[in-house]
Amino acid sequence: MSFHFIGTDINIDELTKHELFCITSELLNNAHRHANATHIDLRDDFLSICIQDDGCGFDTNTTAEGFGLKSIRSRIEPYKGTMSIDSEPGCGTEITVTINVPNT
């Protein structure tokens, strides 16, 4: 597995840093454990985190969200965040989490 980071440094509060760390960890864990991905891109900016992998993918219409994705949804809720999932079997997965994070 390879890891590639593209982004810039921003100043955010400690609680938000912790939540972003937990969200990112869960997304990376999912890509590794469930998708058998060999390549993951992590991009972040002021408002979003995007995790893209080359794993096995899944049908978003028929696959129920597991504990990890439900946990991410609960973590972004206080920030009025959104999560979009783009995946299909055999084509990998891209998950984008967008939150309103004030730069401190």
Side-chain angles (χ1 to χ4, degrees):
M1 179 184 297
S2 64
F3 175 81
H4 186 122
F5 172 78
I6 302 170
T8 57
D9 290 336
I10 61 171
N11 295 317
I12 54 177
D13 64 81
E14 291 302 314
L15 176 61
T16 303
K17 285 179 186 178
H18 175 75
E19 294 297 347
L20 290 172
F21 174 80
C22 291
I23 290 166
T24 303
S25 294
E26 186 64 45
L27 291 171
L28 291 171
N29 182 53
N30 286 352
H32 175 69
R33 189 166 33 145
H34 299 297
N36 298 316
T38 59
H39 183 84
I40 298 171
D41 287 331
L42 168 62
R43 298 182 303 269
D44 82 318
D45 59 28
F46 186 71
L47 296 173
S48 67
I49 298 169
C50 178
I51 302 286
Q52 181 181 34
D53 68 56
D54 65 351
C56 62
F58 62 97
D59 185 341
T60 58
N61 295 316
T62 60
T63 304
E65 286 189 1
F67 178 76
L69 291 178
K70 288 179 182 177
S71 173
I72 291 168
R73 287 199 190 278
S74 71
R75 289 181 183 279
I76 63 176
E77 187 176 298
Y79 301 97
K80 300 192 180 357
T82 61
M83 179 171 65
S84 65
I85 302 171
D86 183 17
S87 185
E88 58 184 75
C91 294
T93 301
E94 180 175 301
I95 300 177
T96 302
V97 173
T98 303
I99 62 173
N100 188 6
V101 181
N103 192 353
T104 59

